[in-house]
Amino acid sequence: MKKVTIISIFLLLASLLAACGNQAAQKEASQPAAAPTDSTDLSAEQKAYREFALDQLDQFVLKTEEFVQAVLAGDVEKAKALYAPARMYFERSEPVAEVFGDLDPRIDGRLADLEAEGKGKEEWTGYHKIEYGLWVENTTKGYEETAKQLLNDTKELRAKVETVEVTPDLMITGAVDLLNEVSTSKITGEEEVFSHTDLYDFKANIEGAEKIFEIFKPKLQEKDAALVTTLEERFNKVNELLAQYEDGKGGYISFDQLKEEDTKALSEAVDQLGEPLSQMAIVVE
């Protein structure tokens, strides 16, 4: 009986020690990761990106105005030709444009996104609605008011962007989000489902992310030169693949001409770029 009691006490102590150890481990695991400090002065980088975004949106307003005039004039072929190049300015500066949650879907909303939110076609506005008219119905008739509203929304976006506070976090998150955009909609052909001009958006998203990398590059070089080399190689890989699909006229071939192995190669190149791009956050440490 005495032997049993000693064994029982030993097992009880062992159990208590194990419980204490688990609690300590759980407490350690629940601690948030150390937040990066903001001791690094990135004001010059923030200023450079703000100027880039404003310039892109200035061009976006001008190109959208040309596009809208073509729609109002009933010139289907001219409107088709202007559609994808005009949108590239928006796609490059989307991290800033997305700050205004209501304007982004009004300008760039897809019917599939509206339907997923339980909304109807009557609430559809912006570029993609006119894309449907041009490529599916082959007309501009009935889209005049949509075009006028698109131009008004574009001008409103440009005016509001003056108030945006460009932070390092917005820039880093924005660069990664641009790649996510490519992975989730451009590489699948879902973004430009009627015109199949997805490669224009793809290229613009990559250029937008690469611009942020180029702005941070001198600071990154000081902190992690190997990361800079990796990012340069990965951006070059994606751009080399995209160059294979240029049409020789300053644009890109239709997305539906790509084969499965083509989209697979592009997708893998984007995925390989995403992970090191997210490491740009070290620039604020």
Side-chain angles (χ1 to χ4, degrees):
M1 184 67 182
K2 185 176 181 181
K3 184 178 180 181
V4 171
T5 301
I6 292 172
I7 292 172
S8 298
I9 292 171
F10 175 78
L11 290 174
L12 177 61
L13 289 171
S15 175
L16 289 171
L17 288 171
C20 290
N22 289 338
Q23 288 175 1
Q26 289 171 3
K27 184 177 181 181
E28 184 178 350
S30 65
Q31 294 297 316
T37 66
D38 56 357
S39 58
T40 304
D41 181 8
L42 296 172
S43 56
E45 287 79 4
Q46 293 167 242
K47 180 174 183 290
Y49 186 65
R50 177 182 172 79
E51 290 174 352
F52 166 76
L54 289 175
D55 176 66
Q56 289 298 303
L57 289 171
D58 281 342
Q59 295 299 316
F60 181 53
V61 171
L62 292 174
K63 297 302 179 184
T64 297
E65 193 155 16
E66 291 179 24
F67 172 72
V68 166
Q69 290 304 319
V71 172
L72 296 179
D75 193 334
V76 173
E77 294 308 314
K78 186 175 182 180
K80 283 182 176 180
L82 294 171
Y83 173 84
R87 288 178 44 75
M88 291 182 78
Y89 296 100
F90 179 80
E91 296 288 342
R92 290 189 194 100
S93 56
E94 206 158 5
V96 170
E98 284 184 338
V99 171
F100 306 102
D102 58 334
L103 274 171
D104 183 46
R106 276 157 52 188
I107 292 171
D108 195 36
R110 299 180 306 157
L111 181 58
D113 294 330
L114 283 176
E115 292 174 338
E117 296 172 0
K119 297 178 181 177
K121 197 173 181 178
E122 67 280 1
E123 297 182 64
W124 195 17
T125 61
Y127 263 101
H128 291 304
K129 181 173 181 177
I130 301 173
E131 176 199 8
Y132 178 85
L134 291 173
W135 273 272
V136 177
E137 299 181 336
N138 198 38
T139 187
T140 61
K141 289 184 179 178
Y143 293 90
E144 293 86 352
E145 292 306 313
T146 302
K148 291 176 184 176
Q149 186 59 51
L150 170 63
L151 183 57
N152 290 337
D153 289 341
T154 302
K155 290 179 176 177
E156 183 180 340
L157 172 65
R158 172 59 185 85
K160 284 188 172 181
V161 164
E162 291 285 350
T163 66
V164 172
E165 181 186 2
V166 174
T167 65
D169 180 62
L170 181 146
M171 295 169 66
I172 294 165
T173 304
V176 174
D177 284 349
L178 284 171
L179 284 197
N180 289 337
E181 283 257 333
V182 173
S183 297
T184 57
S185 60
K186 274 69 173 186
I187 198 61
T188 61
E190 296 174 37
E191 179 77 13
E192 307 289 356
V193 69
F194 309 118
S195 63
H196 305 300
T197 54
D198 304 84
L199 290 177
Y200 288 79
D201 298 349
F202 191 133
K203 177 65 174 177
N205 285 161
I206 295 297
E207 288 177 339
E210 191 167 11
K211 180 65 181 180
I212 294 171
F213 163 59
E214 291 293 339
I215 290 172
F216 281 139
K217 191 172 169 180
K219 290 281 195 324
L220 284 172
Q221 188 73 38
E222 297 171 3
K223 293 176 178 285
D224 191 341
L227 177 61
V228 170
T229 301
T230 298
L231 283 168
E232 287 176 335
E233 292 173 350
R234 303 286 169 86
F235 271 116
N236 287 341
K237 177 66 174 177
V238 174
N239 285 323
E240 286 171 5
L241 286 171
L242 278 170
Q244 296 177 17
Y245 308 111
E246 293 175 356
D247 63 2
K249 304 173 186 174
Y252 291 89
I253 65 173
S254 177
F255 186 81
D256 58 1
Q257 293 182 36
L258 269 62
K259 299 175 183 175
E260 184 177 348
E261 54 264 34
D262 299 328
T263 56
K264 182 181 178 183
L266 285 167
S267 180
E268 289 176 352
V270 171
D271 289 344
Q272 289 170 3
L273 174 59
E275 195 278 329
L277 193 66
S278 66
Q279 294 181 31
M280 280 202 308
I282 64 170
V283 78
V284 300
E285 295 175 351

